[in-house]
Amino acid sequence: MYLEKLEIENFRSFAKATIPLNENLTVLVGENNGGKSNVIEAIRLLTPPASGRVDRYCELEDLHRFTDQKSFSIAGRFSGLSAAQQGDLISLLSDPAATSAQLKLTCTVEEGVAKRPRFTGGAHDTQPEQGARERIRHVYLPALRDAQFALSSGNPTRKLALLRHVIPSADHDAFRGALQRTGTHAGLGQVKEAVSKELADLTSGVREQAAELGFSENEQLIDIARDLRFRLGDADGDASEIALSGLGFANLLYMATIIVELERAQESDLTLFLVEEPEAHLHPHLQMSVLDFLQERAQKPAETVPGMPAGKIQVIVASHSPNLTSWASSSNLIALRTVQAGQGKQSKPLPLSKIDLTPKERRKIDRYLDVTRAALLFGGRCLLVEGIAEAILLPVIANRMFEEAIARIKESEVDEPEKTDRIRAEQIRKKKFRGSTFVPIDGVDFEPYIKMMLSGSDGVRLADQVILITDEDAGAGTTRKASYEKLADDLNAADQLEVVLSADTLEVDLFEAGNAAIMKAAYLKLHERSEVKWDEMAALESDAHKARIREIFKSTRKGDFAQELAALIEDRAEEHPFAPPEYLTRAIEAACR
Amino acid sequence: MSLDDKREEAAAIQRRIVQSPNAVYVAACPGAGKTRVLVERAQRILSDLSSRRGVAILTFSNAAVDEIEKRFGHDYPPFPSFLGTFDSFLWRFLIAPFGTDQGVAARLVPDLGDQLISPTMGRRGGKPMRAFPLRLFDRHTGRLRTDLLGDDRLLVAQVQNAAQYEGFASAVWRNRKQAGYLDYEDARSLAQARIEADAFRPILSALVARFAELIVDEAQDCNPSDLRVIQSLRERGLPVSVIGDSDQAIYGFRHGSAPELRRFAERFGEGDRHRMTGNFRSVSGVSGLASLFREPTPNDEIGALCAKEAEVDGGYVLSYRPYRNTVPASVGQKFIEILEAADLSPFDAPVLAHRENAARRAVGLRSIDRSRQKSFAVRLASNVAAYNAAERHWRTKVSAIDAVIGQLFEYLDLIDEDESFHQALVRHEVELSDYRGAVVDLIAEISPQEEEAEDPSAWLARVKAVFEARIDGGRSRLLNRPRENGISDLKSALIIRDNASCPVSTIHSVKGQQFAAVCVVIPPRNAEELVERLERGQIGEPERVLYVGLTRGQRIAALAVPEVISERLVAITRRLEITFILKKC
């Protein structure tokens, strides 16, 4: 059994949304405030925690801000039920065929207070049997902000939970007894004597008091937890106080203290492991090992001892990390996007598995979504380019364009307030451009990316705007631009795609735009002894030198050249003027619109 | 065999039943420890299971559910085990989750048939026709069910123009069905159809996977359709144990059937059928007297295994002279004398009869006329009295509270002319449990004080003041002083019974319970027919009802009979070698 989908209405950033989930691992990705955490919050309200300690209740803020209704609801549909699970969840079954079960939470807000939620089940929202809901539980690993504090001496909560989990409640007394401190040292007697003398003097006129220092005679588990400390260190070295160890390892230790609760998964049919931003404070290698761990847990074949709970673990992760997202298959990813609807905003899910890609296309995308390219998943405006050279040069060129524009405004003879306004406008354009994602696709087949970025349902897409720079395919006539535009049109996203055509290769176009001097300087940095070769090329007639440039750059690493050229463009030396080719200017303009 | 040996033997049978790895069929006589064995067997199964599965225990009355629940105590089996009535089992697993066949949510409205209908309802002008309860008309055809009219001549006379009612009734039944309203009878037949439907096969498999065993208590109360449900689950591989006593089959009216049960028993292997014959509850005098109403079984004595037995303990026959052709109060007085001699409290010694009125007469209470529609005030007084009766079980108290809530609905005019109270609850989306706390307070406030019991008008005036002060609006004229016979009804409803008198009850409602002593009353009306049947050795349902009643007693069972049959009864008992003490009253 697993949670197949969530249907959410008027809950936090969601007005109405259906979120399909994968049987094993689902990674929720998206910008801040996109609604990732709210999906996790929804599951926390719908299912009880494995620890038995409920720490999330319905509250007023859970009602969607832009609704005039007075209640919100969260419904989970569970599929893949075994006969035993069907039996236990009979009051939640959607139909006599018993293919799925539904559990729904409805919470009404009255007079500014969220009332106690009502749980219903099945097709007719009837009352579930007492105990049925407990068959499905969750373990919640919150976003880690300060693991050192959470595990420190002053904060017993986590340690107490751990003790309770590990030590059976019947043994709590024995545990307390064994750790009870005596407090019989002579030093304590001296303290008593010292204090009592003063105290007696102070209180003799009223009611004489006596005092002594000792341990509580009735130490509770929480007192013990407060005094226990975690020590952490390399496995083969000495452990030291948690405050002295790295934040990253402290976080992993914190995770470990919570993951211990997953052992309880054996006692229930389905445990939803909800993980929020596991990447915080972890360097990429640790992130990888965390993801490996999560995937392993999720795929661990559910124990199928007949007559025992299935012990299935389903992992749901919310993450900002390109590392984590690039490691998971696109079919495990759900992007959450914020869309404007009427007066308000709302979150919409976009499951990447639902995008209509051929298996070949999907494999291609999965391979390409490495750490750099995974940025695509975080949406917004994207610039798709063919190669690394464009990706390196575009931001640098754009930056120079903006700076030159600002410099021109400063020198112009307009009024001061007008000047300030125009400079601010230019700065805003610059920021917008910087918010775009540049992705070289290392090829010329843009189609899968266009599909991925622009497909959508319900007006939700990964990208707000895709700008694509390519050249016309000499062999196939002028069909490429047209076919991409048709694809976008088919996806109802004609306005979201801008195809910018280059005339020739990047190098030829740069040269033709009048950048012979700066290109020569960059070229010579790579090939010190090739000045003659460059000059011969430059002297050729128009069409002949184009072919020669293409030839030269066949034996030059385009990326290295782009780096050299980028450095020179950034330097803005007098002897190296730079004029961007017209189509790059257009692409940059499009990206900051 | 000594008593100790007998007790040891009976205990050995109990152990075998508890430990048997196979599902068992158990025939148990009264007092054999049936409930104990059932609970211990369930506990044994649950402790063997290291797994997720549970046990389902089904019985036929809420009183039996309470009794079993009490025996479990703190070890009450948790989810996914189930303990409840047969009806609640069917409702929970076959109806509620899936709604009705009309595709709407199913809502249980137990009093669907109580709704009053009349063809002139909702019409303006014209002479209104008398309203009758919907239950008098067949739920499928709308036809008047003459079998239910009984001897209510007024009723029979009024339904001359039945055709007008029938069309109306069938439309009302149909509307209710469309809205998803079901009463127990509807629910039972729907569940029965589903058990046999292919579409519901996965649900049966799910139940088989959920429960390690289904234990059916009081199996003699199963009707053939109940047995079919059980058999269907059994055929799917669910082990079903059955515990019952065909001598106690007293539910002929819901088609409970002893022969069917015997046939069912034959499907169990020889080694899986057990008989519990020892009676740990009653002294030999009690079980002896009771055996008068039980079919004799060869080689199978009901052995009294009760260890202590005082001289006054045993069976009594109380011979009475009818007063105005009914049971006189001298019966109750004589019974109290016997209790005093045995040092027993009347609190634990109910007076029982097939119909409650005979028992009421025997303790000097007026009989209740159920055929007459009683005033709001009289019903309120009866509900308050039912709540206050000390011997009542909490479940009875809850139904008294709910009845008062129903009256408050009536007072506030929240029940439409064409709906029952429970339908109104559904329509107003109200849960009874939301109001019970407040209504308990109200009942305490309006409970009659001693002097008011004699002065119904004073009580009524106070109740009216309380209602007016506590409730905004409402129809306070409902609490106006009733007419003369209304006042006398009210007076009898207000009688405060002290602790020195015996509780009264029907035999059906004490089924499965036990008391230190019982007095079973045979009213004059059926006495001669009864004795004739006994003389011929005929044992049918009326006899089994008496058997159930007498076997509730632990130390004393008294049988009150009119003097005209006492001689003949004594003769029969001599022949059967039954010993008892005869007392005249």
Side-chain angles (χ1 to χ4, degrees), chain A residues 144-152 242 247 250-252 254 281:
Chain A
L144 299 168
R145 297 284 170 248
D146 195 348
Q148 284 178 333
F149 171 73
L151 297 172
S152 68
I242 188 105
L247 208 46
N251 275 2
L252 288 180
Y254 183 83
H281 302 304

Side-chain angles (χ1 to χ4, degrees), chain A residues 239-488:
Chain A
S240 53
E241 293 278 318
I242 188 105
L244 301 176
S245 59
L247 208 46
F249 282 111
N251 275 2
L252 288 180
L253 172 61
Y254 183 83
M255 274 189 213
T257 66
I258 286 181
I259 290 167
V260 166
E261 288 176 12
L262 276 182
E263 284 171 19
R264 287 246 175 99
Q266 293 303 331
E267 299 163 18
S268 68
D269 278 305
L270 172 61
T271 302
L272 296 154
F273 186 29
L274 310 173
V275 186
E276 226 173 321
E277 294 175 33
E279 65 267 19
H281 302 304
L282 297 186
H283 69 68
H285 278 114
L286 287 180
Q287 291 186 28
M288 296 300 170
S289 58
V290 167
L291 185 75
D292 270 350
F293 170 83
L294 294 177
Q295 247 161 353
E296 187 191 310
R297 281 297 162 114
Q299 277 160 12
K300 196 172 123 192
E303 299 282 338
T304 47
V305 184
M308 297 297 285
K312 161 86 184 153
I313 296 172
Q314 182 180 359
V315 181
I316 296 158
V317 186
S319 174
H320 288 296
S321 160
N323 297 69
L324 280 180
T325 45
S326 67
W327 261 47
S329 158
S330 69
S331 57
N332 289 102
L333 300 180
I334 294 181
L336 285 146
R337 305 271 292 135
T338 306
V339 298
Q340 193 76 30
Q343 290 297 303
K345 288 181 172 172
Q346 52 175 275
S347 298
K348 287 279 185 185
L350 179 66
L352 269 58
S353 60
K354 295 282 191 291
I355 293 178
D356 187 21
L357 294 169
T358 65
K360 194 176 161 199
E361 287 173 327
R362 186 172 295 280
R363 275 204 303 280
K364 192 167 186 174
I365 284 183
D366 282 349
R367 276 194 302 270
Y368 273 112
L369 282 182
D370 63 10
V371 173
T372 336
R373 294 168 188 134
L376 280 177
L377 299 170
F378 295 88
R381 291 177 306 281
C382 333
L383 273 148
L384 298 177
V385 295
E386 289 178 7
I388 184 74
E390 286 93 340
I392 291 170
L393 284 172
L394 255 177
V396 179
I397 293 172
N399 203 34
R400 180 158 169 161
M401 275 172 62
F402 291 123
E403 280 179 20
E404 283 175 356
I406 289 170
R408 272 198 306 278
I409 295 166
K410 280 184 179 159
E411 283 159 20
S412 68
E413 291 176 4
V414 292
D415 294 345
E416 209 44 48
E418 166 79 12
K419 211 181 247 183
T420 318
D421 283 352
R422 281 164 66 177
I423 289 174
R424 186 175 300 134
E426 202 60 32
Q427 278 164 341
I428 288 172
R429 275 158 46 78
K430 182 175 168 184
K431 272 189 188 144
K432 276 195 163 177
F433 181 81
R434 289 192 136 179
S436 315
T437 315
F438 303 90
V439 180
I441 67 153
D442 267 347
V444 290
D445 179 15
F446 286 93
E447 197 169 312
Y449 302 95
I450 296 174
K451 273 194 189 172
M452 181 175 81
M453 301 307 292
L454 295 181
S455 293
S457 52
D458 227 359
V460 193
R461 308 188 160 81
L462 269 184
D464 295 330
Q465 189 73 35
V466 173
I467 299 143
L468 185 155
I469 305 173
T470 185
D471 55 355
E472 276 300 6
D473 191 334
T478 56
T479 56
R480 196 183 278 165
K481 179 175 198 263
S483 76
Y484 290 157
E485 283 172 349
K486 171 156 191 324
L487 177 61

